[in-house]
Amino acid sequence: MSPAVFGAALWLAAAGIFAAAPPAAAATGNCPGDLVRTLPLPGAEVRVYKSRTQVCAVNVALNPGERRHLAVSVQPRGGVPVGDAGQFTRYAGPVTVGAISRCVYVRGSVAAGSVESGWILC
C-alpha cells in the first residue's frame, strides 16, 4: 500500500471514529449530569438529568423509527419554561435550564398522552 493510500485510509478511519456519537450520549440525548427521574408515557419516557448547575430533560421514544409528536419542557421556579416540540423519530430535546438551588417543573407529551412532574429537585 502506498503512503498516500495508507494516509487517506487512516484519515477516513479517524473521521469515522470522531463523527459517530458515543452510545451513552445518544441514550441521554446529550444531557449532562445524572439521571434523577423518569416519567413514563405511552410509548415514550421523559428522562430528567441533574448536574451541579443544570437540569436537563429529554423525551425519548421507546420504539424509535416512526415519526410522532414528542414534546418536553423544563421550567425553573420563578422562570419561564424552555421546551422543544415537533414530529420526531427518536427524541425531543434536550432542554436545559440553570437550576442551582431551584425547583423545576418538567412536562412531556407524546401523541397518546402527557405527563407532569410537579415541582421536583427542590
mmCIF file of all heavy atoms in Angstrom, residues 49-102:
data_model
loop_
_atom_site.group_PDB
_atom_site.id
_atom_site.type_symbol
_atom_site.label_atom_id
_atom_site.label_comp_id
_atom_site.label_asym_id
_atom_site.label_seq_id
_atom_site.Cartn_x
_atom_site.Cartn_y
_atom_site.Cartn_z
ATOM 1 N N TYR A 49 -32.290 14.776 33.992
ATOM 2 C CA TYR A 49 -30.901 14.683 34.436
ATOM 3 C C TYR A 49 -30.554 15.932 35.238
ATOM 4 O O TYR A 49 -31.038 17.024 34.944
ATOM 5 C CB TYR A 49 -29.960 14.585 33.233
ATOM 6 C CG TYR A 49 -30.173 13.334 32.412
ATOM 7 C CD1 TYR A 49 -31.147 13.271 31.430
ATOM 8 C CD2 TYR A 49 -29.402 12.209 32.642
ATOM 9 C CE1 TYR A 49 -31.344 12.119 30.690
ATOM 10 C CE2 TYR A 49 -29.586 11.046 31.899
ATOM 11 C CZ TYR A 49 -30.560 11.019 30.928
ATOM 12 O OH TYR A 49 -30.757 9.872 30.200
ATOM 13 N N LYS A 50 -29.681 15.766 36.229
ATOM 14 C CA LYS A 50 -29.242 16.899 37.049
ATOM 15 C C LYS A 50 -27.736 16.867 37.172
ATOM 16 O O LYS A 50 -27.153 15.843 37.506
ATOM 17 C CB LYS A 50 -29.868 16.844 38.436
ATOM 18 C CG LYS A 50 -29.384 17.971 39.349
ATOM 19 C CD LYS A 50 -30.505 18.567 40.128
ATOM 20 C CE LYS A 50 -30.085 19.619 41.109
ATOM 21 N NZ LYS A 50 -29.450 20.775 40.549
ATOM 22 N N SER A 51 -27.129 17.998 36.872
ATOM 23 C CA SER A 51 -25.707 18.196 37.145
ATOM 24 C C SER A 51 -25.623 19.188 38.301
ATOM 25 O O SER A 51 -26.640 19.580 38.869
ATOM 26 C CB SER A 51 -24.980 18.723 35.904
ATOM 27 O OG SER A 51 -25.395 20.034 35.604
ATOM 28 N N ARG A 52 -24.444 19.621 38.622
ATOM 29 C CA ARG A 52 -24.288 20.553 39.741
ATOM 30 C C ARG A 52 -25.020 21.862 39.504
ATOM 31 O O ARG A 52 -25.572 22.449 40.419
ATOM 32 C CB ARG A 52 -22.792 20.809 39.974
ATOM 33 C CG ARG A 52 -22.486 21.562 41.248
ATOM 34 C CD ARG A 52 -21.006 21.706 41.474
ATOM 35 N NE ARG A 52 -20.345 22.545 40.491
ATOM 36 C CZ ARG A 52 -20.374 23.870 40.487
ATOM 37 N NH1 ARG A 52 -21.033 24.512 41.412
ATOM 38 N NH2 ARG A 52 -19.746 24.555 39.560
ATOM 39 N N THR A 53 -25.074 22.326 38.246
ATOM 40 C CA THR A 53 -25.637 23.640 37.961
ATOM 41 C C THR A 53 -26.860 23.625 37.054
ATOM 42 O O THR A 53 -27.490 24.661 36.876
ATOM 43 C CB THR A 53 -24.579 24.536 37.290
ATOM 44 O OG1 THR A 53 -24.168 23.912 36.068
ATOM 45 C CG2 THR A 53 -23.387 24.753 38.197
ATOM 46 N N GLN A 54 -27.193 22.473 36.456
ATOM 47 C CA GLN A 54 -28.248 22.446 35.456
ATOM 48 C C GLN A 54 -29.196 21.272 35.644
ATOM 49 O O GLN A 54 -28.823 20.245 36.201
ATOM 50 C CB GLN A 54 -27.653 22.322 34.051
ATOM 51 C CG GLN A 54 -26.790 23.474 33.641
ATOM 52 C CD GLN A 54 -26.193 23.233 32.258
ATOM 53 O OE1 GLN A 54 -26.001 22.106 31.845
ATOM 54 N NE2 GLN A 54 -25.911 24.306 31.551
ATOM 55 N N VAL A 55 -30.403 21.444 35.119
ATOM 56 C CA VAL A 55 -31.354 20.349 34.971
ATOM 57 C C VAL A 55 -31.648 20.247 33.485
ATOM 58 O O VAL A 55 -31.854 21.256 32.806
ATOM 59 C CB VAL A 55 -32.651 20.599 35.766
ATOM 60 C CG1 VAL A 55 -33.702 19.549 35.430
ATOM 61 C CG2 VAL A 55 -32.360 20.592 37.250
ATOM 62 N N CYS A 56 -31.661 19.021 32.983
ATOM 63 C CA CYS A 56 -31.871 18.770 31.570
ATOM 64 C C CYS A 56 -32.935 17.687 31.428
ATOM 65 O O CYS A 56 -32.995 16.760 32.243
ATOM 66 C CB CYS A 56 -30.558 18.309 30.942
ATOM 67 S SG CYS A 56 -30.660 17.938 29.178
ATOM 68 N N ALA A 57 -33.789 17.797 30.413
ATOM 69 C CA ALA A 57 -34.815 16.787 30.176
ATOM 70 C C ALA A 57 -34.875 16.449 28.698
ATOM 71 O O ALA A 57 -34.633 17.300 27.833
ATOM 72 C CB ALA A 57 -36.176 17.278 30.653
ATOM 73 N N VAL A 58 -35.203 15.193 28.428
ATOM 74 C CA VAL A 58 -35.359 14.712 27.070
ATOM 75 C C VAL A 58 -36.520 13.720 27.050
ATOM 76 O O VAL A 58 -36.696 12.953 27.996
ATOM 77 C CB VAL A 58 -34.040 14.092 26.544
ATOM 78 C CG1 VAL A 58 -33.604 12.908 27.356
ATOM 79 C CG2 VAL A 58 -34.127 13.751 25.093
ATOM 80 N N ASN A 59 -37.346 13.774 26.023
ATOM 81 C CA ASN A 59 -38.474 12.862 25.855
ATOM 82 C C ASN A 59 -38.050 11.832 24.815
ATOM 83 O O ASN A 59 -37.896 12.148 23.645
ATOM 84 C CB ASN A 59 -39.713 13.628 25.397
ATOM 85 C CG ASN A 59 -40.959 12.776 25.397
ATOM 86 O OD1 ASN A 59 -40.915 11.569 25.543
ATOM 87 N ND2 ASN A 59 -42.095 13.422 25.206
ATOM 88 N N VAL A 60 -37.863 10.580 25.245
ATOM 89 C CA VAL A 60 -37.297 9.529 24.404
ATOM 90 C C VAL A 60 -38.381 8.549 23.978
ATOM 91 O O VAL A 60 -39.089 8.001 24.827
ATOM 92 C CB VAL A 60 -36.181 8.775 25.157
ATOM 93 C CG1 VAL A 60 -35.591 7.676 24.289
ATOM 94 C CG2 VAL A 60 -35.100 9.736 25.612
ATOM 95 N N ALA A 61 -38.484 8.295 22.666
ATOM 96 C CA ALA A 61 -39.409 7.284 22.149
ATOM 97 C C ALA A 61 -38.853 5.902 22.488
ATOM 98 O O ALA A 61 -37.671 5.637 22.292
ATOM 99 C CB ALA A 61 -39.562 7.433 20.642
ATOM 100 N N LEU A 62 -39.689 5.024 23.017
ATOM 101 C CA LEU A 62 -39.240 3.682 23.383
ATOM 102 C C LEU A 62 -39.051 2.788 22.159
ATOM 103 O O LEU A 62 -38.248 1.857 22.193
ATOM 104 C CB LEU A 62 -40.217 3.047 24.369
ATOM 105 C CG LEU A 62 -40.363 3.781 25.696
ATOM 106 C CD1 LEU A 62 -41.378 3.087 26.588
ATOM 107 C CD2 LEU A 62 -39.017 3.899 26.402
ATOM 108 N N ASN A 63 -39.774 3.060 21.092
ATOM 109 C CA ASN A 63 -39.626 2.333 19.825
ATOM 110 C C ASN A 63 -39.316 3.338 18.725
ATOM 111 O O ASN A 63 -40.214 3.762 18.001
ATOM 112 C CB ASN A 63 -40.910 1.552 19.487
ATOM 113 C CG ASN A 63 -41.208 0.501 20.526
ATOM 114 O OD1 ASN A 63 -40.338 -0.273 20.906
ATOM 115 N ND2 ASN A 63 -42.439 0.492 21.007
ATOM 116 N N PRO A 64 -38.033 3.748 18.592
ATOM 117 C CA PRO A 64 -37.699 4.777 17.618
ATOM 118 C C PRO A 64 -37.926 4.295 16.187
ATOM 119 O O PRO A 64 -37.926 3.096 15.919
ATOM 120 C CB PRO A 64 -36.227 5.054 17.887
ATOM 121 C CG PRO A 64 -35.718 3.874 18.604
ATOM 122 C CD PRO A 64 -36.881 3.268 19.314
ATOM 123 N N GLY A 65 -38.108 5.235 15.300
ATOM 124 C CA GLY A 65 -38.267 4.937 13.892
ATOM 125 C C GLY A 65 -39.499 5.591 13.303
ATOM 126 O O GLY A 65 -39.441 6.217 12.258
ATOM 127 N N GLU A 66 -40.633 5.449 13.953
ATOM 128 C CA GLU A 66 -41.870 6.054 13.473
ATOM 129 C C GLU A 66 -41.912 7.518 13.904
ATOM 130 O O GLU A 66 -41.668 7.847 15.060
ATOM 131 C CB GLU A 66 -43.056 5.301 14.078
ATOM 132 C CG GLU A 66 -44.397 5.833 13.660
ATOM 133 C CD GLU A 66 -45.533 5.098 14.353
ATOM 134 O OE1 GLU A 66 -45.386 3.901 14.635
ATOM 135 O OE2 GLU A 66 -46.551 5.748 14.626
ATOM 136 N N ARG A 67 -42.236 8.404 12.969
ATOM 137 C CA ARG A 67 -42.329 9.830 13.293
ATOM 138 C C ARG A 67 -43.608 10.070 14.088
ATOM 139 O O ARG A 67 -44.675 9.602 13.716
ATOM 140 C CB ARG A 67 -42.339 10.648 12.003
ATOM 141 C CG ARG A 67 -42.087 12.110 12.234
ATOM 142 C CD ARG A 67 -41.756 12.812 10.943
ATOM 143 N NE ARG A 67 -40.449 12.470 10.416
ATOM 144 C CZ ARG A 67 -39.297 12.983 10.843
ATOM 145 N NH1 ARG A 67 -39.295 13.852 11.816
ATOM 146 N NH2 ARG A 67 -38.161 12.628 10.300
ATOM 147 N N ARG A 68 -43.478 10.748 15.224
ATOM 148 C CA ARG A 68 -44.625 11.036 16.088
ATOM 149 C C ARG A 68 -44.398 12.371 16.789
ATOM 150 O O ARG A 68 -43.275 12.854 16.872
ATOM 151 C CB ARG A 68 -44.811 9.923 17.108
ATOM 152 C CG ARG A 68 -43.699 9.949 18.161
ATOM 153 C CD ARG A 68 -43.515 8.684 18.863
ATOM 154 N NE ARG A 68 -42.742 7.822 17.988
ATOM 155 C CZ ARG A 68 -42.415 6.587 18.253
ATOM 156 N NH1 ARG A 68 -42.789 6.041 19.346
ATOM 157 N NH2 ARG A 68 -41.705 5.876 17.432
ATOM 158 N N HIS A 69 -45.476 12.922 17.325
ATOM 159 C CA HIS A 69 -45.367 14.185 18.065
ATOM 160 C C HIS A 69 -44.750 13.901 19.435
ATOM 161 O O HIS A 69 -45.269 13.098 20.203
ATOM 162 C CB HIS A 69 -46.725 14.851 18.244
ATOM 163 C CG HIS A 69 -46.642 16.089 19.070
ATOM 164 N ND1 HIS A 69 -46.176 17.278 18.564
ATOM 165 C CD2 HIS A 69 -46.913 16.312 20.370
ATOM 166 C CE1 HIS A 69 -46.178 18.181 19.528
ATOM 167 N NE2 HIS A 69 -46.634 17.625 20.635
ATOM 168 N N LEU A 70 -43.645 14.560 19.733
ATOM 169 C CA LEU A 70 -42.997 14.490 21.047
ATOM 170 C C LEU A 70 -42.744 15.913 21.516
ATOM 171 O O LEU A 70 -42.397 16.787 20.721
ATOM 172 C CB LEU A 70 -41.664 13.741 20.977
ATOM 173 C CG LEU A 70 -41.698 12.254 20.649
ATOM 174 C CD1 LEU A 70 -40.288 11.729 20.413
ATOM 175 C CD2 LEU A 70 -42.363 11.474 21.762
ATOM 176 N N ALA A 71 -42.919 16.139 22.807
ATOM 177 C CA ALA A 71 -42.661 17.457 23.386
ATOM 178 C C ALA A 71 -42.081 17.285 24.780
ATOM 179 O O ALA A 71 -42.397 16.322 25.482
ATOM 180 C CB ALA A 71 -43.940 18.271 23.459
ATOM 181 N N VAL A 72 -41.230 18.227 25.175
ATOM 182 C CA VAL A 72 -40.663 18.243 26.522
ATOM 183 C C VAL A 72 -40.385 19.691 26.894
ATOM 184 O O VAL A 72 -40.038 20.511 26.041
ATOM 185 C CB VAL A 72 -39.376 17.381 26.607
ATOM 186 C CG1 VAL A 72 -38.271 17.932 25.732
ATOM 187 C CG2 VAL A 72 -38.905 17.226 28.036
ATOM 188 N N SER A 73 -40.585 20.024 28.187
ATOM 189 C CA SER A 73 -40.247 21.365 28.664
ATOM 190 C C SER A 73 -39.800 21.286 30.116
ATOM 191 O O SER A 73 -40.209 20.397 30.856
ATOM 192 C CB SER A 73 -41.423 22.336 28.529
ATOM 193 O OG SER A 73 -42.444 22.011 29.432
ATOM 194 N N VAL A 74 -38.954 22.232 30.497
ATOM 195 C CA VAL A 74 -38.469 22.360 31.875
ATOM 196 C C VAL A 74 -38.629 23.820 32.267
ATOM 197 O O VAL A 74 -38.232 24.715 31.523
ATOM 198 C CB VAL A 74 -36.988 21.950 32.008
ATOM 199 C CG1 VAL A 74 -36.521 22.104 33.443
ATOM 200 C CG2 VAL A 74 -36.756 20.543 31.525
ATOM 201 N N GLN A 75 -39.215 24.041 33.438
ATOM 202 C CA GLN A 75 -39.395 25.393 33.951
ATOM 203 C C GLN A 75 -38.762 25.492 35.327
ATOM 204 O O GLN A 75 -39.164 24.787 36.248
ATOM 205 C CB GLN A 75 -40.879 25.731 34.054
ATOM 206 C CG GLN A 75 -41.131 27.110 34.618
ATOM 207 C CD GLN A 75 -42.605 27.421 34.713
ATOM 208 O OE1 GLN A 75 -43.454 26.624 34.340
ATOM 209 N NE2 GLN A 75 -42.909 28.604 35.221
ATOM 210 N N PRO A 76 -37.761 26.366 35.501
ATOM 211 C CA PRO A 76 -37.240 26.594 36.843
ATOM 212 C C PRO A 76 -38.219 27.471 37.628
ATOM 213 O O PRO A 76 -38.895 28.320 37.045
ATOM 214 C CB PRO A 76 -35.917 27.320 36.599
ATOM 215 C CG PRO A 76 -36.087 27.985 35.280
ATOM 216 C CD PRO A 76 -37.052 27.144 34.491
ATOM 217 N N ARG A 77 -38.317 27.244 38.928
ATOM 218 C CA ARG A 77 -39.225 28.064 39.740
ATOM 219 C C ARG A 77 -38.802 29.526 39.632
ATOM 220 O O ARG A 77 -37.652 29.873 39.815
ATOM 221 C CB ARG A 77 -39.205 27.619 41.201
ATOM 222 C CG ARG A 77 -40.198 28.431 42.035
ATOM 223 C CD ARG A 77 -40.483 27.811 43.350
ATOM 224 N NE ARG A 77 -41.527 26.800 43.154
ATOM 225 C CZ ARG A 77 -41.901 25.937 44.082
ATOM 226 N NH1 ARG A 77 -41.313 25.945 45.258
ATOM 227 N NH2 ARG A 77 -42.842 25.072 43.848
ATOM 228 N N GLY A 78 -39.776 30.379 39.306
ATOM 229 C CA GLY A 78 -39.502 31.795 39.129
ATOM 230 C C GLY A 78 -39.026 32.145 37.733
ATOM 231 O O GLY A 78 -38.725 33.297 37.456
ATOM 232 N N GLY A 79 -38.979 31.172 36.836
ATOM 233 C CA GLY A 79 -38.510 31.419 35.474
ATOM 234 C C GLY A 79 -39.541 31.006 34.442
ATOM 235 O O GLY A 79 -40.654 30.613 34.781
ATOM 236 N N VAL A 80 -39.163 31.093 33.196
ATOM 237 C CA VAL A 80 -40.047 30.716 32.102
ATOM 238 C C VAL A 80 -39.683 29.324 31.603
ATOM 239 O O VAL A 80 -38.526 28.915 31.685
ATOM 240 C CB VAL A 80 -39.976 31.733 30.937
ATOM 241 C CG1 VAL A 80 -40.461 33.100 31.378
ATOM 242 C CG2 VAL A 80 -38.573 31.823 30.394
ATOM 243 N N PRO A 81 -40.664 28.579 31.089
ATOM 244 C CA PRO A 81 -40.356 27.241 30.585
ATOM 245 C C PRO A 81 -39.521 27.287 29.311
ATOM 246 O O PRO A 81 -39.676 28.190 28.489
ATOM 247 C CB PRO A 81 -41.723 26.624 30.307
ATOM 248 C CG PRO A 81 -42.728 27.683 30.474
ATOM 249 C CD PRO A 81 -42.074 28.888 31.048
ATOM 250 N N VAL A 82 -38.649 26.303 29.169
ATOM 251 C CA VAL A 82 -37.846 26.109 27.971
ATOM 252 C C VAL A 82 -38.273 24.767 27.406
ATOM 253 O O VAL A 82 -38.313 23.777 28.146
ATOM 254 C CB VAL A 82 -36.341 26.108 28.302
ATOM 255 C CG1 VAL A 82 -35.517 25.827 27.066
ATOM 256 C CG2 VAL A 82 -35.937 27.417 28.946
ATOM 257 N N GLY A 83 -38.615 24.721 26.115
ATOM 258 C CA GLY A 83 -39.136 23.471 25.585
ATOM 259 C C GLY A 83 -38.731 23.178 24.169
ATOM 260 O O GLY A 83 -38.133 24.006 23.481
ATOM 261 N N ASP A 84 -39.083 21.971 23.749
ATOM 262 C CA ASP A 84 -38.862 21.507 22.390
ATOM 263 C C ASP A 84 -40.046 20.622 22.024
ATOM 264 O O ASP A 84 -40.449 19.772 22.825
ATOM 265 C CB ASP A 84 -37.551 20.725 22.292
ATOM 266 C CG ASP A 84 -37.204 20.308 20.875
ATOM 267 O OD1 ASP A 84 -37.613 21.011 19.928
ATOM 268 O OD2 ASP A 84 -36.511 19.283 20.711
ATOM 269 N N ALA A 85 -40.609 20.829 20.848
ATOM 270 C CA ALA A 85 -41.751 20.029 20.407
ATOM 271 C C ALA A 85 -41.715 19.904 18.897
ATOM 272 O O ALA A 85 -41.210 20.786 18.202
ATOM 273 C CB ALA A 85 -43.064 20.677 20.849
ATOM 274 N N GLY A 86 -42.239 18.791 18.410
ATOM 275 C CA GLY A 86 -42.306 18.588 16.970
ATOM 276 C C GLY A 86 -42.542 17.133 16.635
ATOM 277 O O GLY A 86 -42.832 16.312 17.510
ATOM 278 N N GLN A 87 -42.394 16.815 15.358
ATOM 279 C CA GLN A 87 -42.532 15.449 14.866
ATOM 280 C C GLN A 87 -41.137 14.823 14.832
ATOM 281 O O GLN A 87 -40.326 15.178 13.988
ATOM 282 C CB GLN A 87 -43.153 15.448 13.463
ATOM 283 C CG GLN A 87 -44.544 16.027 13.408
ATOM 284 C CD GLN A 87 -45.554 15.141 14.119
ATOM 285 O OE1 GLN A 87 -45.501 13.922 14.041
ATOM 286 N NE2 GLN A 87 -46.483 15.762 14.827
ATOM 287 N N PHE A 88 -40.865 13.905 15.751
ATOM 288 C CA PHE A 88 -39.541 13.311 15.885
ATOM 289 C C PHE A 88 -39.613 11.793 15.790
ATOM 290 O O PHE A 88 -40.639 11.192 16.107
ATOM 291 C CB PHE A 88 -38.908 13.693 17.226
ATOM 292 C CG PHE A 88 -38.730 15.172 17.406
ATOM 293 C CD1 PHE A 88 -39.533 15.879 18.287
ATOM 294 C CD2 PHE A 88 -37.769 15.865 16.701
ATOM 295 C CE1 PHE A 88 -39.387 17.235 18.468
ATOM 296 C CE2 PHE A 88 -37.603 17.233 16.864
ATOM 297 C CZ PHE A 88 -38.412 17.920 17.757
ATOM 298 N N THR A 89 -38.488 11.174 15.399
ATOM 299 C CA THR A 89 -38.424 9.714 15.336
ATOM 300 C C THR A 89 -37.776 9.117 16.574
ATOM 301 O O THR A 89 -38.036 7.969 16.906
ATOM 302 C CB THR A 89 -37.618 9.255 14.110
ATOM 303 O OG1 THR A 89 -36.311 9.812 14.176
ATOM 304 C CG2 THR A 89 -38.306 9.674 12.827
ATOM 305 N N ARG A 90 -36.915 9.861 17.271
ATOM 306 C CA ARG A 90 -36.192 9.320 18.425
ATOM 307 C C ARG A 90 -36.474 10.060 19.719
ATOM 308 O O ARG A 90 -36.842 9.464 20.704
ATOM 309 C CB ARG A 90 -34.689 9.321 18.164
ATOM 310 C CG ARG A 90 -34.283 8.396 17.054
ATOM 311 C CD ARG A 90 -32.779 8.324 16.932
ATOM 312 N NE ARG A 90 -32.404 7.477 15.827
ATOM 313 C CZ ARG A 90 -32.203 6.185 15.934
ATOM 314 N NH1 ARG A 90 -32.327 5.594 17.087
ATOM 315 N NH2 ARG A 90 -31.877 5.475 14.877
ATOM 316 N N TYR A 91 -36.240 11.371 19.743
ATOM 317 C CA TYR A 91 -36.456 12.118 20.982
ATOM 318 C C TYR A 91 -36.663 13.601 20.733
ATOM 319 O O TYR A 91 -36.245 14.127 19.711
ATOM 320 C CB TYR A 91 -35.313 11.912 21.973
ATOM 321 C CG TYR A 91 -33.935 12.266 21.468
ATOM 322 C CD1 TYR A 91 -33.456 13.563 21.513
ATOM 323 C CD2 TYR A 91 -33.097 11.279 20.968
ATOM 324 C CE1 TYR A 91 -32.196 13.875 21.070
ATOM 325 C CE2 TYR A 91 -31.834 11.584 20.520
ATOM 326 C CZ TYR A 91 -31.386 12.886 20.569
ATOM 327 O OH TYR A 91 -30.131 13.198 20.114
ATOM 328 N N ALA A 92 -37.334 14.245 21.691
ATOM 329 C CA ALA A 92 -37.482 15.700 21.721
ATOM 330 C C ALA A 92 -36.551 16.219 22.798
ATOM 331 O O ALA A 92 -36.448 15.640 23.871
ATOM 332 C CB ALA A 92 -38.918 16.088 22.038
ATOM 333 N N GLY A 93 -35.895 17.307 22.530
ATOM 334 C CA GLY A 93 -34.939 17.860 23.475
ATOM 335 C C GLY A 93 -33.540 17.594 22.979
ATOM 336 O O GLY A 93 -33.354 17.217 21.841
ATOM 337 N N PRO A 94 -32.582 17.763 23.792
ATOM 338 C CA PRO A 94 -32.630 18.092 25.205
ATOM 339 C C PRO A 94 -32.938 19.566 25.449
ATOM 340 O O PRO A 94 -32.615 20.411 24.622
ATOM 341 C CB PRO A 94 -31.217 17.757 25.683
ATOM 342 C CG PRO A 94 -30.360 17.962 24.482
ATOM 343 C CD PRO A 94 -31.213 17.580 23.300
ATOM 344 N N VAL A 95 -33.574 19.835 26.574
ATOM 345 C CA VAL A 95 -33.792 21.198 27.037
ATOM 346 C C VAL A 95 -33.115 21.333 28.397
ATOM 347 O O VAL A 95 -33.241 20.463 29.245
ATOM 348 C CB VAL A 95 -35.284 21.583 27.105
ATOM 349 C CG1 VAL A 95 -35.866 21.700 25.716
ATOM 350 C CG2 VAL A 95 -36.081 20.598 27.900
ATOM 351 N N THR A 96 -32.380 22.412 28.566
ATOM 352 C CA THR A 96 -31.567 22.598 29.758
ATOM 353 C C THR A 96 -31.847 23.963 30.373
ATOM 354 O O THR A 96 -31.979 24.945 29.648
ATOM 355 C CB THR A 96 -30.065 22.492 29.396
ATOM 356 O OG1 THR A 96 -29.850 21.245 28.736
ATOM 357 C CG2 THR A 96 -29.188 22.576 30.615
ATOM 358 N N VAL A 97 -31.933 23.997 31.704
ATOM 359 C CA VAL A 97 -32.083 25.264 32.428
ATOM 360 C C VAL A 97 -31.091 25.285 33.580
ATOM 361 O O VAL A 97 -30.719 24.242 34.110
ATOM 362 C CB VAL A 97 -33.513 25.469 32.976
ATOM 363 C CG1 VAL A 97 -34.515 25.582 31.849
ATOM 364 C CG2 VAL A 97 -33.910 24.388 33.942
ATOM 365 N N GLY A 98 -30.677 26.492 33.947
ATOM 366 C CA GLY A 98 -29.854 26.659 35.141
ATOM 367 C C GLY A 98 -30.720 26.441 36.369
ATOM 368 O O GLY A 98 -31.812 27.002 36.466
ATOM 369 N N ALA A 99 -30.264 25.604 37.271
ATOM 370 C CA ALA A 99 -31.109 25.277 38.425
ATOM 371 C C ALA A 99 -30.284 25.067 39.683
ATOM 372 O O ALA A 99 -30.389 24.039 40.339
ATOM 373 C CB ALA A 99 -31.939 24.033 38.119
ATOM 374 N N ILE A 100 -29.472 26.045 40.021
ATOM 375 C CA ILE A 100 -28.738 25.963 41.287
ATOM 376 C C ILE A 100 -29.710 26.333 42.396
ATOM 377 O O ILE A 100 -30.247 27.437 42.431
ATOM 378 C CB ILE A 100 -27.524 26.911 41.293
ATOM 379 C CG1 ILE A 100 -26.542 26.508 40.199
ATOM 380 C CG2 ILE A 100 -26.846 26.907 42.654
ATOM 381 C CD1 ILE A 100 -25.374 27.448 40.055
ATOM 382 N N SER A 101 -30.009 25.400 43.284
ATOM 383 C CA SER A 101 -30.924 25.597 44.409
ATOM 384 C C SER A 101 -32.300 26.079 43.961
ATOM 385 O O SER A 101 -32.901 26.950 44.594
ATOM 386 C CB SER A 101 -30.327 26.592 45.415
ATOM 387 O OG SER A 101 -29.096 26.120 45.875
ATOM 388 N N ARG A 102 -32.818 25.534 42.851
ATOM 389 C CA ARG A 102 -34.144 25.892 42.355
ATOM 390 C C ARG A 102 -34.924 24.637 42.020
ATOM 391 O O ARG A 102 -34.398 23.691 41.456
ATOM 392 C CB ARG A 102 -34.040 26.738 41.088
ATOM 393 C CG ARG A 102 -33.454 28.106 41.326
ATOM 394 C CD ARG A 102 -33.189 28.794 40.031
ATOM 395 N NE ARG A 102 -34.361 29.535 39.576
ATOM 396 C CZ ARG A 102 -34.375 30.234 38.467
ATOM 397 N NH1 ARG A 102 -33.333 30.280 37.685
ATOM 398 N NH2 ARG A 102 -35.459 30.879 38.124
#
